Amino acid sequence: MALWLSVAYAVMGVLYVLTSDWILGRIVPDLTKYQMFQTVKGWTFIALTALGLWVILRHVLGRLETSLADANLAESRLRGALIAAGGSIWRTEKKPDGGLNVFARGSLMRGVNAATRVTYDDVHLRSRIHPEDRPIYDALSAAILHGETDLPTAIWRVRTDDGEWRWAKIVPDHESRDAGQPGSVYGVSLDITDLQQTTQALSDVIAGGELGTWRHDARTDRLKVNARWAEMLGYTLEELNPQMINDWRALVHPDDMEEMNKAHVWQFENHQHYYAFEFRMRHKDGHWVWVLSRGRAVEVDQDGNAQILSGVHIDVSRRKALEAELREQSDFLQRLTETSVSGILALDEAGVVVFANFEAQQILDTTGAGLVGRRQDEIGWMQRGAGPSGAGVPLVRLRKERAVLRDLRLTLPLSDGTEREISVNAAPMETPDGRLQVVCSVSDITQRLIDERLLAQAAEEARFAARHDALTGLPNRELFGAHAESMVRQARTDGRLVAQVFLCVDQFQQVKDRFGPLLGDRLICQIAERLDGLRDGAKVLARVGAAEFTFLDRLDSMEEAARLTASIAVAFETPFELDGQTIYLNSSMGVSLYPMDAMSAEEMWINADLAMYEAKALGGNQCVAFTAKLRDRMAREALIGQSLQRAIRERAFELVLQPKVNLQSGNTLAGAEVLIRCTDPDLAGIGPAEFMPVAEKTGLIRQIDLLVIDLAGLFMADLHGRGLSLHLSINLSPESLRQAGFGAEVLAHMAAAGLGSEDVQFELTEGAVVDLKSDARGAIALLLEAGFELSADDFGTGYSSMSYLQSLNLKELKIDQSFVSRLGLDDGAADAIVLATLAMAQALGLRSVAEGIDTPAQEEWLRAHGCDVGQGYHFGRPMPLEKFVETYLATPKLREAAVAR
């Protein structure tokens, strides 16, 4: 502004001089007058410019005085406000050494130093800052020294001369920075100690009361909450913020939201700005949290409408749960009193009834006059045998002992002459006014006592039934075991023997199948009656199975055991009569003696059972005494059975092949018989001759037969892959054939293994061929229908039947090695049997096979008499599959011979 005024003044001066000189030159030609007019012109210019400067300066100085007065007034007002607020004005200035000097004045500074105007070195001022806040001070000082434009507001604690810490809020003025003087900044500081303490106290109250705070801006619908508010619902503050009012509504239970909406509409319309509601909010985990919300409007517009609302949330779920629990307990007690199956009765100190529920009326009010208001001796209940003094509940005793009286038995006479049995539980209770009452629970136990007597009788019967056979009334296994334990204990003392005879009735199942279960039960009763007639003295007889009985007796010698079994066998010599039917039966028995065979009752039972099963295995109708060899054999068979089960699961088996040769065609290969070996380590050294009978007994033979087919299929698939072929003979066990569905299973495994009738023929023992059982006959029929050839194995050792051989369409007879081994040894019977078998095979059109050929002489004899196929060690022992292939099928000549039939 000053520059423009100077320029304007110079321009005007130049124009004035030039213009005035030109005018004077025109109108004043006289030099003397010209000089005079020039002097007048100069004084005139000075007068005019002085007048103009006077006017301008007067105006500017007036404005400056006004501005200065306003500034002084504003400064006074600001200082007054700061002093009133406990604040100060401050200014910083950079020191030559690089630090800061702080110039301050105000009431806050008076607390720090006695002077109202103070100058601080930054090091001295920093020593008065609380150690925890010094990083904040250092950051602000560095920002001022570096001339940063964005200076932060800071809050720290300053120590006064009295040692008190005061909170100060430091507000720098960004626009007061002097670019020419780094470190020069103005600002104010405010004493906010009271505000901080109030804020801290409020925070402590909120934290201690576990209050969630909220603030709702109705203008923007924004909702701001604290961390506790979010924590009540299982969230963090970051998960909820920023939040709108509709986000809150989405968390409120719909039923509660509907009720609150109705209340809110009325409150907003009537400018009722205080709110208090209890409602449910959904927790993050999905359950509902009960919340008490209190709040009010903290800002309203000129029309009285709420603009900003603030309040708190309190988790009242526990209180709600307690209230619900109390209501439930109250309702329960009321329902319990009203619907209790026991009578509830209350008596005062004088024995007067003051309360009785419906059930108590039903039990005790025999006259219909009611109970309340009546003395208990008027009710009529008495302690049995106590006389008149024993009427009702002993109140004196309860008052004196202050104890609970349980199951007091009283009798109440009825009008029909009978008595009602009553059980009373009584306890003293002091009322709020100090009086004593007795509360009683009363139960009619008349029927319960009757039921208890009947139950005791039934329990006795049940105990008898639990230890006796329901059909015969004889002791069962449990009671027999108790008798055996007792006898063994006594025998340890007196040195006598104890004998147990395990008996199984032979042919009983056939009789039951023929005559039906009812007659079978009657037959069992007759057997039990006849055996029971043999008992005398200490003998014990028990029925322990469908057709199994066991005897127990104390003996003086082993000879008495033989007489005992003989007497039992005699009992079956006379036939039994049932509805005019004469039934002949016999029995298999096993005997075990203590202490020779067993050292305990359980061991004696096991040994007698083993001996009985051995008797059945020997054909029945005999008695077998237990021996250690029998136990060892049974144990070995058990071990083999367990090992076989594991071997089957792990497929621990391998096949070996024994060649079959054509005797009439130069001993060319006719095929091979498939034999199985077990590779399980526990069965090492145990061959098929030993483990196969065990497999038949334990029901495992079926799985082994099917496993042979599976393994044969794998071998044949490999053989066909090499371009080779071989005809196999596979044995099927009679036990497998007798099982239902076995024939269909064989065909299914054959199909899965890729084997057909051109690959395999089946060898069956004579027992299977002539078996009358329908399942075995059905399985054989399925195999024949599928085109498989059948061979009668071990022919001549069983029950050969010409009709069955013809009807089954067998293709082959195998002469048993027991006959072949005696050929040419001057054993005319063996030669005759083999010749007859060969003749029969030729007559029936069957192929004849001799097994067990071990010598050239046997081979020549059989060839000379027309035997078709030979098999035995003379031609080759059973060998592993690969070795068989190398030995018999490796060359074209052998392959050609291998398929010759």
Side-chain angles (χ1 to χ4, degrees), residues 688-867:
E690 187 173 1
F691 72 70
M692 291 298 272
V694 176
E696 291 182 349
K697 287 182 180 180
T698 56
L700 299 175
I701 191 64
R702 180 186 187 127
Q703 299 176 60
I704 294 177
D705 284 347
L706 296 175
L707 181 59
V708 170
I709 295 173
D710 295 340
L711 296 176
L714 295 175
F715 168 68
M716 289 297 289
D718 177 65
L719 206 62
H720 291 160
R722 305 185 197 183
L724 303 176
S725 180
L726 181 67
H727 194 267
L728 301 178
S729 297
I730 296 178
N731 293 277
L732 293 180
S733 167
E735 293 298 326
S736 298
L737 289 168
R738 294 187 186 103
Q739 297 180 27
F742 180 70
E745 271 195 291
V746 169
L747 295 181
H749 279 255
M750 291 292 289
L755 298 175
S757 58
E758 69 279 4
D759 300 311
V760 172
Q761 75 173 20
F762 293 107
E763 295 187 6
L764 313 177
T765 63
E766 276 191 84
V769 172
V770 301
D771 197 334
L772 295 176
K773 190 174 181 181
S774 60
D775 289 325
R777 300 293 296 159
I780 293 173
L782 283 175
L783 297 179
L784 290 173
E785 185 178 349
F788 289 97
E789 293 184 356
L790 303 182
S791 171
D793 194 13
D794 300 335
F795 190 79
T797 61
Y799 308 94
S800 303
S801 169
M802 293 291 291
S803 62
Y804 279 114
L805 294 179
Q806 188 174 17
S807 63
L808 289 179
N809 296 317
L810 295 174
K811 296 297 182 180
E812 184 178 275
L813 287 181
K814 293 191 72 175
I815 304 171
D816 187 71
Q817 61 183 347
S818 61
F819 302 116
V820 174
S821 62
R822 295 196 297 273
L823 291 176
L825 299 178
D826 297 329
D827 186 352
D831 292 357
I833 291 174
V834 174
L835 286 173
T837 303
L838 292 173
M840 181 174 59
Q842 185 176 7
L844 294 175
L846 304 180
R847 185 171 53 252
S848 57
V849 179
E851 60 181 353
I853 301 176
D854 296 333
T855 65
Q858 294 169 351
E859 174 192 353
E860 290 301 325
W861 192 98
L862 290 166
R863 179 183 294 111
H865 291 86
C867 183

Side-chain angles (χ1 to χ4, degrees), residues 7 77 100 112 116 156 201 204 215 247 264 300 331 410 447 457 480 511 515 620 626 660 697 704 708 791 886:
V7 172
R77 288 176 177 175
L100 286 175
V112 178
T116 58
W156 57 56
D204 293 342
R215 185 178 179 87
D247 298 326
H264 283 157
V300 296
D331 294 342
L410 303 177
Q447 186 60 45
Q457 181 180 351
F480 180 85
V511 173
F515 295 105
F626 174 80
K660 298 169 66 176
K697 287 182 180 180
I704 294 177
V708 170
S791 171
E886 293 175 359

